[in-house]
Amino acid sequence: MEPLAIVWFGLTDAGIIFVTVAGAIFAVTINTYTGVKNINPDYIAAAQNMGAKGGQLITKVLIPAAFPYMISGFKQGWAFAWRGVIGAELLFSFLGLGFLLNVGRQLSDVSQVIAMMLVIMIIGIVIDGLIFKKLEDKVMSRWGLR
């Protein structure tokens, strides 16, 4: 994606945003599609028999039933986006973790490279623990799996 972003946007922040969004969108979209496709047809038929139509069917049946898949997509999307941001910063940015990682590599400063790798890893783990773990726990308890 980076070469395409360089051609389209040059070395700008728009290139970083493009790489980040492009890295995440496919995982989120595919998992959401899979979640909707795997909904038990009986749920939809029951909701329709009770009078649910259009927006109500989507908000009350489809989204809640597909939500576990959507969470998986969000989690994968976050991972792809986070890697995309770091990769894009290596190429596009003059400030950021990817840039500092690249500077450490160019200067053969192993301690800086390891420190940046640890910071990147810790941020990823913290975001996963603060956001996705809590969200997964709520969904698991909602579906009676915990």
Short mmCIF file of all heavy atoms in Angstrom, two decimals, residues 25-91:
data_model
loop_
_atom_site.label_atom_id
_atom_site.label_comp_id
_atom_site.label_asym_id
_atom_site.label_seq_id
_atom_site.Cartn_x
_atom_site.Cartn_y
_atom_site.Cartn_z
N ILE A 25 -9.61 -1.51 6.87
CA ILE A 25 -10.97 -1.59 6.33
C ILE A 25 -11.34 -3.00 5.88
O ILE A 25 -12.48 -3.43 6.05
CB ILE A 25 -11.17 -0.56 5.19
CG1 ILE A 25 -12.65 -0.38 4.90
CG2 ILE A 25 -10.48 -0.96 3.93
CD1 ILE A 25 -13.25 0.76 5.61
N PHE A 26 -10.39 -3.73 5.31
CA PHE A 26 -10.72 -5.05 4.79
C PHE A 26 -11.04 -6.04 5.91
O PHE A 26 -11.99 -6.81 5.80
CB PHE A 26 -9.60 -5.59 3.91
CG PHE A 26 -9.41 -4.78 2.65
CD1 PHE A 26 -8.26 -4.05 2.45
CD2 PHE A 26 -10.40 -4.73 1.69
CE1 PHE A 26 -8.09 -3.29 1.31
CE2 PHE A 26 -10.25 -3.98 0.55
CZ PHE A 26 -9.08 -3.26 0.35
N ALA A 27 -10.27 -6.01 6.99
CA ALA A 27 -10.54 -6.91 8.11
C ALA A 27 -11.90 -6.63 8.73
O ALA A 27 -12.67 -7.56 9.02
CB ALA A 27 -9.44 -6.79 9.16
N VAL A 28 -12.22 -5.37 8.93
CA VAL A 28 -13.50 -5.00 9.53
C VAL A 28 -14.65 -5.39 8.60
O VAL A 28 -15.64 -5.99 9.03
CB VAL A 28 -13.54 -3.50 9.86
CG1 VAL A 28 -14.91 -3.08 10.33
CG2 VAL A 28 -12.48 -3.14 10.90
N THR A 29 -14.51 -5.09 7.33
CA THR A 29 -15.57 -5.38 6.37
C THR A 29 -15.81 -6.88 6.22
O THR A 29 -16.97 -7.33 6.24
CB THR A 29 -15.22 -4.77 4.99
OG1 THR A 29 -15.00 -3.37 5.16
CG2 THR A 29 -16.33 -5.00 3.99
N ILE A 30 -14.77 -7.64 6.08
CA ILE A 30 -14.92 -9.09 5.89
C ILE A 30 -15.54 -9.74 7.12
O ILE A 30 -16.43 -10.59 7.01
CB ILE A 30 -13.56 -9.73 5.52
CG1 ILE A 30 -13.17 -9.32 4.10
CG2 ILE A 30 -13.61 -11.25 5.65
CD1 ILE A 30 -11.76 -9.66 3.72
N ASN A 31 -15.10 -9.35 8.30
CA ASN A 31 -15.66 -9.94 9.52
C ASN A 31 -17.11 -9.53 9.73
O ASN A 31 -17.94 -10.34 10.16
CB ASN A 31 -14.82 -9.57 10.74
CG ASN A 31 -13.65 -10.50 10.91
OD1 ASN A 31 -13.82 -11.68 11.15
ND2 ASN A 31 -12.46 -9.97 10.75
N THR A 32 -17.46 -8.29 9.41
CA THR A 32 -18.85 -7.85 9.53
C THR A 32 -19.72 -8.61 8.54
O THR A 32 -20.81 -9.08 8.90
CB THR A 32 -18.95 -6.34 9.29
OG1 THR A 32 -18.14 -5.66 10.24
CG2 THR A 32 -20.38 -5.86 9.42
N TYR A 33 -19.26 -8.76 7.32
CA TYR A 33 -20.01 -9.51 6.31
C TYR A 33 -20.21 -10.96 6.76
O TYR A 33 -21.31 -11.50 6.66
CB TYR A 33 -19.27 -9.46 4.97
CG TYR A 33 -19.88 -10.32 3.91
CD1 TYR A 33 -21.04 -9.92 3.25
CD2 TYR A 33 -19.32 -11.55 3.56
CE1 TYR A 33 -21.61 -10.71 2.27
CE2 TYR A 33 -19.88 -12.34 2.58
CZ TYR A 33 -21.04 -11.92 1.93
OH TYR A 33 -21.60 -12.71 0.97
N THR A 34 -19.17 -11.57 7.28
CA THR A 34 -19.27 -12.95 7.76
C THR A 34 -20.25 -13.05 8.91
O THR A 34 -21.05 -13.99 8.99
CB THR A 34 -17.88 -13.47 8.20
OG1 THR A 34 -16.99 -13.36 7.09
CG2 THR A 34 -17.95 -14.92 8.65
N GLY A 35 -20.22 -12.08 9.81
CA GLY A 35 -21.14 -12.09 10.93
C GLY A 35 -22.59 -11.99 10.50
O GLY A 35 -23.46 -12.72 10.99
N VAL A 36 -22.86 -11.11 9.55
CA VAL A 36 -24.24 -10.95 9.07
C VAL A 36 -24.67 -12.20 8.31
O VAL A 36 -25.81 -12.66 8.43
CB VAL A 36 -24.36 -9.69 8.18
CG1 VAL A 36 -25.70 -9.63 7.47
CG2 VAL A 36 -24.16 -8.44 9.03
N LYS A 37 -23.78 -12.77 7.54
CA LYS A 37 -24.10 -13.96 6.76
C LYS A 37 -24.38 -15.18 7.64
O LYS A 37 -25.15 -16.06 7.26
CB LYS A 37 -22.95 -14.26 5.80
CG LYS A 37 -23.32 -15.09 4.62
CD LYS A 37 -22.49 -14.66 3.45
CE LYS A 37 -22.53 -15.65 2.35
NZ LYS A 37 -23.76 -15.73 1.63
N ASN A 38 -23.77 -15.23 8.81
CA ASN A 38 -23.92 -16.38 9.71
C ASN A 38 -25.04 -16.23 10.73
O ASN A 38 -25.16 -17.05 11.64
CB ASN A 38 -22.60 -16.67 10.43
CG ASN A 38 -21.60 -17.31 9.52
OD1 ASN A 38 -21.94 -18.10 8.66
ND2 ASN A 38 -20.34 -16.96 9.70
N ILE A 39 -25.85 -15.20 10.59
CA ILE A 39 -26.98 -15.03 11.50
C ILE A 39 -28.00 -16.13 11.22
O ILE A 39 -28.32 -16.41 10.06
CB ILE A 39 -27.63 -13.63 11.33
CG1 ILE A 39 -26.65 -12.56 11.77
CG2 ILE A 39 -28.93 -13.53 12.11
CD1 ILE A 39 -27.11 -11.15 11.47
N ASN A 40 -28.49 -16.69 12.28
CA ASN A 40 -29.52 -17.73 12.16
C ASN A 40 -30.75 -17.11 11.48
O ASN A 40 -31.31 -16.14 11.97
CB ASN A 40 -29.87 -18.24 13.56
CG ASN A 40 -30.80 -19.43 13.54
OD1 ASN A 40 -31.47 -19.70 12.54
ND2 ASN A 40 -30.83 -20.14 14.65
N PRO A 41 -31.19 -17.68 10.35
CA PRO A 41 -32.35 -17.12 9.64
C PRO A 41 -33.62 -17.11 10.50
O PRO A 41 -34.53 -16.31 10.25
CB PRO A 41 -32.53 -18.04 8.44
CG PRO A 41 -31.26 -18.78 8.29
CD PRO A 41 -30.59 -18.79 9.63
N ASP A 42 -33.67 -17.98 11.49
CA ASP A 42 -34.83 -18.00 12.38
C ASP A 42 -34.96 -16.69 13.17
O ASP A 42 -36.07 -16.25 13.47
CB ASP A 42 -34.76 -19.18 13.36
CG ASP A 42 -34.86 -20.52 12.64
OD1 ASP A 42 -35.40 -20.55 11.50
OD2 ASP A 42 -34.40 -21.53 13.21
N TYR A 43 -33.82 -16.07 13.51
CA TYR A 43 -33.86 -14.79 14.22
C TYR A 43 -34.52 -13.72 13.34
O TYR A 43 -35.34 -12.94 13.81
CB TYR A 43 -32.45 -14.32 14.59
CG TYR A 43 -31.71 -15.17 15.59
CD1 TYR A 43 -30.35 -15.02 15.76
CD2 TYR A 43 -32.36 -16.12 16.38
CE1 TYR A 43 -29.64 -15.78 16.67
CE2 TYR A 43 -31.67 -16.89 17.29
CZ TYR A 43 -30.31 -16.72 17.43
OH TYR A 43 -29.62 -17.47 18.32
N ILE A 44 -34.12 -13.69 12.09
CA ILE A 44 -34.67 -12.69 11.17
C ILE A 44 -36.16 -12.95 10.94
O ILE A 44 -36.98 -12.02 10.98
CB ILE A 44 -33.89 -12.71 9.85
CG1 ILE A 44 -32.44 -12.30 10.11
CG2 ILE A 44 -34.53 -11.77 8.82
CD1 ILE A 44 -31.49 -12.52 8.95
N ALA A 45 -36.52 -14.22 10.73
CA ALA A 45 -37.93 -14.56 10.50
C ALA A 45 -38.78 -14.22 11.72
O ALA A 45 -39.89 -13.68 11.59
CB ALA A 45 -38.06 -16.04 10.15
N ALA A 46 -38.25 -14.51 12.92
CA ALA A 46 -39.00 -14.21 14.14
C ALA A 46 -39.20 -12.70 14.30
O ALA A 46 -40.29 -12.24 14.65
CB ALA A 46 -38.28 -14.78 15.36
N ALA A 47 -38.16 -11.93 14.02
CA ALA A 47 -38.27 -10.48 14.13
C ALA A 47 -39.27 -9.93 13.10
O ALA A 47 -40.05 -9.03 13.41
CB ALA A 47 -36.90 -9.84 13.93
N GLN A 48 -39.23 -10.48 11.90
CA GLN A 48 -40.18 -10.03 10.88
C GLN A 48 -41.61 -10.40 11.25
O GLN A 48 -42.54 -9.63 11.01
CB GLN A 48 -39.81 -10.61 9.51
CG GLN A 48 -38.56 -9.97 8.93
CD GLN A 48 -38.07 -10.67 7.68
OE1 GLN A 48 -38.31 -11.86 7.47
NE2 GLN A 48 -37.35 -9.92 6.84
N ASN A 49 -41.79 -11.58 11.83
CA ASN A 49 -43.13 -11.98 12.27
C ASN A 49 -43.66 -11.08 13.38
O ASN A 49 -44.88 -10.91 13.53
CB ASN A 49 -43.13 -13.43 12.76
CG ASN A 49 -43.09 -14.42 11.61
OD1 ASN A 49 -43.46 -14.09 10.49
ND2 ASN A 49 -42.61 -15.61 11.89
N MET A 50 -42.75 -10.51 14.16
CA MET A 50 -43.17 -9.59 15.22
C MET A 50 -43.27 -8.16 14.73
O MET A 50 -43.49 -7.25 15.52
CB MET A 50 -42.20 -9.69 16.40
CG MET A 50 -42.34 -11.00 17.15
SD MET A 50 -41.37 -11.02 18.65
CE MET A 50 -39.87 -11.76 18.10
N GLY A 51 -43.07 -7.94 13.43
CA GLY A 51 -43.28 -6.63 12.84
C GLY A 51 -42.04 -5.80 12.62
O GLY A 51 -42.15 -4.63 12.26
N ALA A 52 -40.85 -6.34 12.83
CA ALA A 52 -39.61 -5.57 12.62
C ALA A 52 -39.38 -5.39 11.12
O ALA A 52 -39.50 -6.33 10.35
CB ALA A 52 -38.42 -6.28 13.25
N LYS A 53 -39.06 -4.17 10.73
CA LYS A 53 -38.78 -3.87 9.33
C LYS A 53 -37.61 -2.90 9.25
O LYS A 53 -37.38 -2.13 10.16
CB LYS A 53 -40.00 -3.21 8.66
CG LYS A 53 -41.19 -4.11 8.52
CD LYS A 53 -42.33 -3.38 7.84
CE LYS A 53 -43.53 -4.31 7.80
NZ LYS A 53 -44.72 -3.63 7.36
N GLY A 54 -36.91 -2.95 8.14
CA GLY A 54 -35.87 -1.98 7.82
C GLY A 54 -34.88 -1.71 8.93
O GLY A 54 -34.14 -2.58 9.37
N GLY A 55 -34.87 -0.46 9.39
CA GLY A 55 -33.90 -0.03 10.40
C GLY A 55 -34.01 -0.77 11.70
O GLY A 55 -33.01 -1.06 12.36
N GLN A 56 -35.25 -1.10 12.08
CA GLN A 56 -35.46 -1.84 13.33
C GLN A 56 -34.85 -3.23 13.23
O GLN A 56 -34.24 -3.71 14.18
CB GLN A 56 -36.95 -1.93 13.61
CG GLN A 56 -37.30 -1.89 15.05
CD GLN A 56 -38.80 -1.90 15.26
OE1 GLN A 56 -39.56 -2.34 14.40
NE2 GLN A 56 -39.21 -1.43 16.42
N LEU A 57 -35.00 -3.88 12.09
CA LEU A 57 -34.42 -5.20 11.88
C LEU A 57 -32.89 -5.15 11.96
O LEU A 57 -32.27 -6.02 12.56
CB LEU A 57 -34.87 -5.75 10.51
CG LEU A 57 -34.53 -7.20 10.19
CD1 LEU A 57 -35.23 -8.14 11.15
CD2 LEU A 57 -34.90 -7.51 8.76
N ILE A 58 -32.34 -4.08 11.41
CA ILE A 58 -30.88 -3.93 11.44
C ILE A 58 -30.39 -3.66 12.85
O ILE A 58 -29.45 -4.32 13.33
CB ILE A 58 -30.44 -2.81 10.48
CG1 ILE A 58 -30.67 -3.25 9.04
CG2 ILE A 58 -28.98 -2.45 10.69
CD1 ILE A 58 -30.50 -2.14 8.02
N THR A 59 -31.01 -2.70 13.56
CA THR A 59 -30.50 -2.29 14.87
C THR A 59 -30.84 -3.27 15.99
O THR A 59 -30.10 -3.37 16.96
CB THR A 59 -31.01 -0.90 15.26
OG1 THR A 59 -32.45 -0.90 15.27
CG2 THR A 59 -30.50 0.16 14.30
N LYS A 60 -31.94 -3.98 15.86
CA LYS A 60 -32.38 -4.87 16.94
C LYS A 60 -31.99 -6.33 16.72
O LYS A 60 -31.96 -7.10 17.68
CB LYS A 60 -33.90 -4.80 17.12
CG LYS A 60 -34.42 -3.42 17.43
CD LYS A 60 -34.01 -2.98 18.80
CE LYS A 60 -34.65 -1.63 19.11
NZ LYS A 60 -34.16 -1.03 20.31
N VAL A 61 -31.71 -6.73 15.47
CA VAL A 61 -31.41 -8.14 15.20
C VAL A 61 -30.05 -8.32 14.54
O VAL A 61 -29.18 -9.02 15.08
CB VAL A 61 -32.51 -8.79 14.31
CG1 VAL A 61 -32.17 -10.24 14.00
CG2 VAL A 61 -33.86 -8.70 14.98
N LEU A 62 -29.84 -7.70 13.39
CA LEU A 62 -28.63 -7.96 12.61
C LEU A 62 -27.35 -7.53 13.33
O LEU A 62 -26.41 -8.31 13.45
CB LEU A 62 -28.72 -7.30 11.24
CG LEU A 62 -29.81 -7.81 10.30
CD1 LEU A 62 -29.78 -7.06 8.98
CD2 LEU A 62 -29.67 -9.30 10.06
N ILE A 63 -27.31 -6.29 13.80
CA ILE A 63 -26.09 -5.80 14.45
C ILE A 63 -25.80 -6.57 15.75
O ILE A 63 -24.66 -7.02 15.94
CB ILE A 63 -26.14 -4.28 14.67
CG1 ILE A 63 -26.06 -3.57 13.31
CG2 ILE A 63 -25.01 -3.82 15.59
CD1 ILE A 63 -26.20 -2.07 13.37
N PRO A 64 -26.78 -6.75 16.64
CA PRO A 64 -26.46 -7.52 17.85
C PRO A 64 -26.01 -8.96 17.56
O PRO A 64 -25.11 -9.47 18.21
CB PRO A 64 -27.77 -7.51 18.64
CG PRO A 64 -28.48 -6.29 18.19
CD PRO A 64 -28.12 -6.15 16.74
N ALA A 65 -26.62 -9.60 16.57
CA ALA A 65 -26.25 -10.98 16.26
C ALA A 65 -24.88 -11.06 15.60
O ALA A 65 -24.16 -12.04 15.78
CB ALA A 65 -27.30 -11.62 15.37
N ALA A 66 -24.51 -10.05 14.84
CA ALA A 66 -23.22 -10.05 14.15
C ALA A 66 -22.11 -9.42 14.99
O ALA A 66 -20.94 -9.45 14.59
CB ALA A 66 -23.34 -9.30 12.82
N PHE A 67 -22.44 -8.87 16.14
CA PHE A 67 -21.47 -8.10 16.93
C PHE A 67 -20.23 -8.90 17.34
O PHE A 67 -19.12 -8.36 17.28
CB PHE A 67 -22.15 -7.48 18.15
CG PHE A 67 -21.41 -6.29 18.67
CD1 PHE A 67 -21.22 -5.17 17.89
CD2 PHE A 67 -20.87 -6.29 19.94
CE1 PHE A 67 -20.54 -4.06 18.36
CE2 PHE A 67 -20.18 -5.21 20.42
CZ PHE A 67 -20.02 -4.09 19.64
N PRO A 68 -20.34 -10.17 17.73
CA PRO A 68 -19.10 -10.91 18.04
C PRO A 68 -18.12 -10.95 16.86
O PRO A 68 -16.91 -10.81 17.04
CB PRO A 68 -19.59 -12.31 18.40
CG PRO A 68 -20.98 -12.09 18.90
CD PRO A 68 -21.52 -10.97 18.07
N TYR A 69 -18.64 -11.12 15.65
CA TYR A 69 -17.78 -11.10 14.47
C TYR A 69 -17.22 -9.69 14.24
O TYR A 69 -16.06 -9.55 13.83
CB TYR A 69 -18.57 -11.53 13.23
CG TYR A 69 -18.89 -12.99 13.18
CD1 TYR A 69 -20.06 -13.48 13.72
CD2 TYR A 69 -18.02 -13.88 12.57
CE1 TYR A 69 -20.37 -14.83 13.67
CE2 TYR A 69 -18.32 -15.24 12.50
CZ TYR A 69 -19.50 -15.70 13.06
OH TYR A 69 -19.79 -17.03 13.00
N MET A 70 -18.04 -8.70 14.48
CA MET A 70 -17.60 -7.32 14.28
C MET A 70 -16.46 -6.98 15.24
O MET A 70 -15.50 -6.29 14.86
CB MET A 70 -18.77 -6.36 14.46
CG MET A 70 -19.81 -6.48 13.36
SD MET A 70 -21.36 -5.63 13.70
CE MET A 70 -20.83 -3.94 13.74
N ILE A 71 -16.54 -7.46 16.47
CA ILE A 71 -15.47 -7.21 17.43
C ILE A 71 -14.17 -7.83 16.94
O ILE A 71 -13.10 -7.22 17.03
CB ILE A 71 -15.83 -7.74 18.83
CG1 ILE A 71 -16.94 -6.88 19.43
CG2 ILE A 71 -14.62 -7.74 19.75
CD1 ILE A 71 -17.47 -7.40 20.73
N SER A 72 -14.26 -9.05 16.42
CA SER A 72 -13.06 -9.68 15.85
C SER A 72 -12.49 -8.84 14.71
O SER A 72 -11.27 -8.68 14.60
CB SER A 72 -13.38 -11.08 15.34
OG SER A 72 -13.74 -11.92 16.39
N GLY A 73 -13.37 -8.32 13.88
CA GLY A 73 -12.92 -7.45 12.80
C GLY A 73 -12.29 -6.17 13.30
O GLY A 73 -11.27 -5.73 12.76
N PHE A 74 -12.88 -5.57 14.33
CA PHE A 74 -12.30 -4.35 14.91
C PHE A 74 -10.92 -4.64 15.49
O PHE A 74 -9.99 -3.83 15.34
CB PHE A 74 -13.19 -3.77 15.99
CG PHE A 74 -14.53 -3.30 15.51
CD1 PHE A 74 -15.62 -3.33 16.36
CD2 PHE A 74 -14.73 -2.84 14.22
CE1 PHE A 74 -16.87 -2.91 15.94
CE2 PHE A 74 -15.97 -2.42 13.78
CZ PHE A 74 -17.05 -2.45 14.65
N LYS A 75 -10.80 -5.78 16.13
CA LYS A 75 -9.51 -6.14 16.74
C LYS A 75 -8.45 -6.37 15.66
O LYS A 75 -7.32 -5.88 15.78
CB LYS A 75 -9.71 -7.40 17.59
CG LYS A 75 -8.62 -7.65 18.56
CD LYS A 75 -9.02 -8.76 19.52
CE LYS A 75 -7.97 -8.98 20.55
NZ LYS A 75 -8.33 -9.97 21.54
N GLN A 76 -8.81 -7.09 14.62
CA GLN A 76 -7.87 -7.30 13.51
C GLN A 76 -7.59 -5.97 12.80
O GLN A 76 -6.44 -5.70 12.42
CB GLN A 76 -8.43 -8.29 12.51
CG GLN A 76 -8.39 -9.71 12.97
CD GLN A 76 -9.01 -10.65 11.94
OE1 GLN A 76 -9.64 -10.22 10.99
NE2 GLN A 76 -8.83 -11.93 12.15
N GLY A 77 -8.63 -5.17 12.60
CA GLY A 77 -8.45 -3.88 11.96
C GLY A 77 -7.51 -2.98 12.74
O GLY A 77 -6.66 -2.29 12.17
N TRP A 78 -7.65 -3.01 14.07
CA TRP A 78 -6.75 -2.23 14.93
C TRP A 78 -5.31 -2.70 14.73
O TRP A 78 -4.39 -1.89 14.60
CB TRP A 78 -7.16 -2.33 16.39
CG TRP A 78 -6.02 -2.14 17.34
CD1 TRP A 78 -5.45 -3.09 18.12
CD2 TRP A 78 -5.29 -0.93 17.61
NE1 TRP A 78 -4.42 -2.55 18.85
CE2 TRP A 78 -4.30 -1.21 18.55
CE3 TRP A 78 -5.39 0.37 17.12
CZ2 TRP A 78 -3.41 -0.27 19.02
CZ3 TRP A 78 -4.49 1.32 17.60
CH2 TRP A 78 -3.53 1.00 18.54
N ALA A 79 -5.11 -4.01 14.71
CA ALA A 79 -3.75 -4.54 14.55
C ALA A 79 -3.16 -4.12 13.20
O ALA A 79 -2.00 -3.68 13.13
CB ALA A 79 -3.75 -6.06 14.69
N PHE A 80 -3.94 -4.26 12.14
CA PHE A 80 -3.46 -3.85 10.82
C PHE A 80 -3.22 -2.35 10.75
O PHE A 80 -2.24 -1.89 10.16
CB PHE A 80 -4.44 -4.28 9.73
CG PHE A 80 -4.50 -5.76 9.48
CD1 PHE A 80 -5.72 -6.38 9.30
CD2 PHE A 80 -3.35 -6.54 9.44
CE1 PHE A 80 -5.79 -7.75 9.08
CE2 PHE A 80 -3.40 -7.90 9.21
CZ PHE A 80 -4.63 -8.51 9.03
N ALA A 81 -4.12 -1.58 11.33
CA ALA A 81 -3.97 -0.12 11.31
C ALA A 81 -2.74 0.31 12.10
O ALA A 81 -2.00 1.20 11.66
CB ALA A 81 -5.22 0.55 11.88
N TRP A 82 -2.52 -0.31 13.25
CA TRP A 82 -1.37 0.05 14.08
C TRP A 82 -0.07 -0.25 13.33
O TRP A 82 0.85 0.57 13.31
CB TRP A 82 -1.45 -0.70 15.40
CG TRP A 82 -0.37 -0.37 16.39
CD1 TRP A 82 0.46 -1.26 17.00
CD2 TRP A 82 -0.01 0.91 16.89
NE1 TRP A 82 1.31 -0.60 17.84
CE2 TRP A 82 1.05 0.74 17.80
CE3 TRP A 82 -0.48 2.19 16.66
CZ2 TRP A 82 1.64 1.79 18.46
CZ3 TRP A 82 0.13 3.25 17.33
CH2 TRP A 82 1.17 3.05 18.21
N ARG A 83 0.01 -1.41 12.71
CA ARG A 83 1.20 -1.73 11.91
C ARG A 83 1.31 -0.78 10.72
O ARG A 83 2.42 -0.38 10.35
CB ARG A 83 1.15 -3.18 11.43
CG ARG A 83 1.47 -4.17 12.51
CD ARG A 83 1.68 -5.55 11.94
NE ARG A 83 0.52 -6.01 11.20
CZ ARG A 83 -0.31 -6.94 11.60
NH1 ARG A 83 -0.11 -7.54 12.74
NH2 ARG A 83 -1.34 -7.30 10.86
N GLY A 84 0.18 -0.43 10.13
CA GLY A 84 0.20 0.49 8.99
C GLY A 84 0.70 1.87 9.38
O GLY A 84 1.44 2.50 8.63
N VAL A 85 0.29 2.34 10.56
CA VAL A 85 0.75 3.65 11.03
C VAL A 85 2.26 3.63 11.21
O VAL A 85 2.96 4.54 10.76
CB VAL A 85 0.06 4.05 12.35
CG1 VAL A 85 0.76 5.21 13.02
CG2 VAL A 85 -1.39 4.41 12.10
N ILE A 86 2.76 2.60 11.85
CA ILE A 86 4.21 2.53 12.09
C ILE A 86 4.95 2.44 10.76
O ILE A 86 5.95 3.12 10.54
CB ILE A 86 4.55 1.34 13.01
CG1 ILE A 86 3.85 1.48 14.36
CG2 ILE A 86 6.05 1.20 13.18
CD1 ILE A 86 4.17 2.74 15.13
N GLY A 87 4.46 1.58 9.86
CA GLY A 87 5.09 1.45 8.54
C GLY A 87 5.04 2.75 7.75
O GLY A 87 6.01 3.15 7.10
N ALA A 88 3.90 3.43 7.80
CA ALA A 88 3.77 4.69 7.08
C ALA A 88 4.67 5.77 7.69
O ALA A 88 5.24 6.58 6.95
CB ALA A 88 2.32 5.15 7.08
N GLU A 89 4.81 5.76 9.00
CA GLU A 89 5.70 6.73 9.64
C GLU A 89 7.15 6.50 9.23
O GLU A 89 7.93 7.45 9.18
CB GLU A 89 5.57 6.66 11.15
CG GLU A 89 4.34 7.34 11.70
CD GLU A 89 4.25 7.28 13.21
OE1 GLU A 89 5.08 6.58 13.84
OE2 GLU A 89 3.34 7.92 13.76
N LEU A 90 7.51 5.25 8.95
CA LEU A 90 8.86 4.98 8.48
C LEU A 90 9.14 5.73 7.18
O LEU A 90 10.24 6.21 6.95
CB LEU A 90 9.07 3.48 8.26
CG LEU A 90 9.19 2.61 9.50
CD1 LEU A 90 9.10 1.14 9.12
CD2 LEU A 90 10.47 2.89 10.24
N LEU A 91 8.12 5.82 6.33
CA LEU A 91 8.31 6.44 5.02
C LEU A 91 7.94 7.91 4.97
O LEU A 91 8.61 8.71 4.33
CB LEU A 91 7.45 5.69 3.98
CG LEU A 91 7.80 4.24 3.72
CD1 LEU A 91 6.79 3.64 2.79
CD2 LEU A 91 9.21 4.14 3.15
#
